[in-house]
Amino acid sequence: MADSGVTDGNEKKGDIERAKSEGKELTKEEKQRLRKEKKQQKKSKEKKDDKAIQESGKETKGDSSAASAPQPSTQSTAQKAPSAVPAPVSVPAPEAPTPADKPPKSKAELKAERRARQEAERASKQGKKGDPGPQGAVSKSKAATNELQPVVKRLPEHIQVDNPDVLKKLAKKLERQQIPLRLDYGYKVSLFSHLHQYSRKAPLTQQLSIPSTVIHPAIVRLGLQYSQGIVAGSNARSIALLHAFKQVIRDYTTPPNEELSRDLVNRLKPYISFLNQCRPLSASMGNAIKYVKKEISNIPSQCKEEEAKRKLLTCIEWYIKEKIILAAKAIAESSIEKISDGDVILIYGCSSLVNHILCEALEKNRKFRVIVVDSRPRLEGREALRRLVQRGISCTYVLISAVSYILPEVSKVFLGAHALLANGYVMSRVGTSQIALVAKAFNVPVLVCCETYKFCERVQTDSFVSNELDDPDDLIVTRNGQTQLENWQQEPSLGLLNLVYDVTPPDFVDLVITELGMIPCTSVPVVLRVKNVDQ
Amino acid sequence: MELQAVLMAAGGGSRMTDLTYNTPKPMLPVGNKPLMWYPLNLLERVGFEEVIVITTKEVQKMMSTDSKMKRDIKMKMEVVCVPEDGDMGTADALRHIQQKIKTDILVVSCDLITDVALHEVVDLFRAHNATLAMLMSKAHEFTETVPGQKGKKRTAEQRDFVGVDQSGKRLLFMANEADLEDGLSVRKSIIRKHPRMHIKTGLVDAHLYCLKKAVVDFLTENKSISSIRGELVPYLVRKQFSKTTNSQKVKEDLEDQTQKKNDCSTNHELLISSRDEPLLQLAQERSCWNDHRGDMSEAYHGGKLRCYVHIMEQGLCYRVNTLAAYIEANRQAPKLFEEPPVHPSAVISERCQVGSDSIIGERCQIAEKTSIKRSTIGISSNVKEKVKVTNSIVMHSVTIEEGCNIQGSVICSNAIIGRGADLKYCLVGNGQRIEPEGKTQQHEHTQS
């Protein structure tokens, strides 16, 4: 508010005149907004003189922001909200509303914003008629310079599969990196047609040369293990990924006239695309990759190769030790306080962290029993059951359809998480939100255990926008030699949906246990902010 | 580098001496290409850029003069010569080139003709971190009459018993009938871990193996193993369930006791040793995947040594080590390459009938009124008028005079078939001369 008071009276007048010419009533907020828009206009005019490149970028951003504006407002608010959270602290307070403020925006205000943006863009246009790029496919690198302009985040490619432009871009990118494109398989249910759906019987290695030269063999092996499900589970995938990276770094030699800090990062990019094609990356993997890339770029240029490699290897080992192993230990310690004698604990699927907690609790001589809830098609609960029974914990095993029958017996629910989103939602195996819902109905406390390296800056309120579609053929079952769904592809109106994740709202989660302590679900953005400041 | 290809081309062809006494087996023409062209083509198609070829000096000389090899194979071939006395087994050959081997290897035999999707075998090797991955195929009955053999009775081949688990991928048991004197006995340790085992007998071993580098190192220590197929593979398959490779085990059968002493000393070499073994272990522990269910053990039963097999259900897979296989391969080989069956440089007069399933080689001269059906005519062969060639294989530089009738026969290189000869189901050796008007009876073979 202070800075707006300092701005010229002229600007304010101009705004008011313009607004008045449009025949609208000016509220205080509208005035502020219009003033800011004018400021950006001025700034963009300056930039226009300096850098032509930034110009065109802003243009396309302006174009696509105009293109995306007519979209349902929820999407734009959803886009703005994540930009608000990680944006640099210098963003003026009124411009960075918390997600709670965003929804109650009247239609008129949205219209005003849109019109103001159009004015700004019209004023800065040089007459170039750039095509509006693919929806939202815009770089947000200008955030630093145009911090006042609402930053439109680029939509990731993997949730725009039904957009042919995006697919073309992806194909071009993969071609450049010499990675084969994995084709989608089967009919996709219309609500999820914006996601990839691959078949396990068509691995990516079919299109690669056999002694893989483009991609390091350790990464090919990892990709195969991901796509076949041999390495499954957020922690396992991250550890395996870091292990593969260690091998890559060991086998890496800096080419002449190149710097390790830059070249190694470029070397890792095609590997990451390859792994993404094999199976979409998880949030924890994304954070691990970000960490590794940061460490690599922070290598000083005068560092010798051997020393640099050794440094990187120790960094990776440290990351695993601190973020996964020690975090699990800390979480186990806090959780054991929550487990009392005589408890009946319900778990869902196979979460490595929850299994670890229960085994530790048994070591500390807590008396409890466990109910393992399982669901098709993965039936991961069987593996959790095996691990717990092997340790000596008495377990009951039910399918998810029996959850409401068994809940009256349950005293606590422990859930694992695949990721914790910035708005407090918990992304986990499909079925988790169901369990949380039923538990809430029965007034049973739900505790989610999650390490902080799985915290993600994404925001999602439903399971549709971003998810993973597994092989639909997994749903087919053969009983007594008969496979009813054998020819499901011939039925034009039949689609098989094999979702992997779902999101649980924070209202159903009572506590999140992390290595930083036991926090309520809504404190996740705080943790994220603290983490960002730390790093 | 991920895999190194090794082609074993020093084999003698002991089961088809009629053909190989003059031409070494790797250079026998199949569909007018030398036999070893097929595995080399397979490797090249899949993406290999280098091969180590283990062969004899004679074959090496022939390779350098053969135009097809020079022209079609773009890979870099490193030829390693071994003495021709035939005492060297495949494992001995691997030991011989141990210095050149830096990574895991893919061993192929020169007599393999197949169109398998090689990634199926290699993916098993990669994904499960296996010690051995091999290829097998359902055997096809050979329907063609084999010349030179009395009647249709084939020599009783020793059957191979192959035991696989439920998924059909993990190799649990492998034994040849010759080794099983008093019945097939399966160890209790195997049954305890894999209660359901499918034992198959009608499989053809394609002699295509992916082996870990540790196995090659192991071979250098153990000089007693001389054949990959005969000794190394059954040894590895047995070793999967050996007491010393697994941690907790109960008392086993007596058979183990004698082997145990030898096993202990050699175990450490075969065990997969990677620098980050604890990290891999960590990842596997946290992964919610298991390759079997129903018992309390972890994935792979905690075993570090694993053998996998890919069994081809459809597609071509032939091992050309008998005469019958050779004939069958000649029929089927054209499916594997895209060249036209009739070579453009062959001179074929208009009034002859060349069937669509016949292959005519380069620089052939086919005169008028000849009929060639379901046959292969080799390079530079000369077929005069009024000749009927049916179901036969004619190798290179053969002259067939007028009026001959050749049916179901194999005629080796440089042979001359005199005028009016009538050959039925015969095998004519190299450089032979059949007298004019000669009537060779069925199932005869002539040799010098």
Side-chain angles (χ1 to χ4, degrees), chain A residues 205-206 210 225 230 387 390, chain B residues 46 123 126-127 285 287 296:
Chain A
T205 49
Q206 237 172 359
I210 289 268
Q225 288 178 330
I230 295 174
R387 287 178 200 195
Q390 200 181 31
Chain B
V46 155
D123 279 352
R126 288 165 175 155
E285 268 171 29
S287 170
M296 280 296 168

Side-chain angles (χ1 to χ4, degrees), chain A residues 136-137 153-161 166 194 458 465-466:
Chain A
K153 256 208 157 124
R154 173 180 57 186
L155 277 180
E157 166 279 325
H158 68 269
I159 59 171
Q160 290 189 82
V161 174
V166 171
H194 62 284
R458 214 166 54 196
V465 164
S466 173

Side-chain angles (χ1 to χ4, degrees), chain B residues 10-24:
Chain B
S14 49
R15 279 188 267 186
M16 38 188 209
T17 44
D18 309 323
L19 294 173
T20 55
Y21 76 93
N22 205 317
T23 328

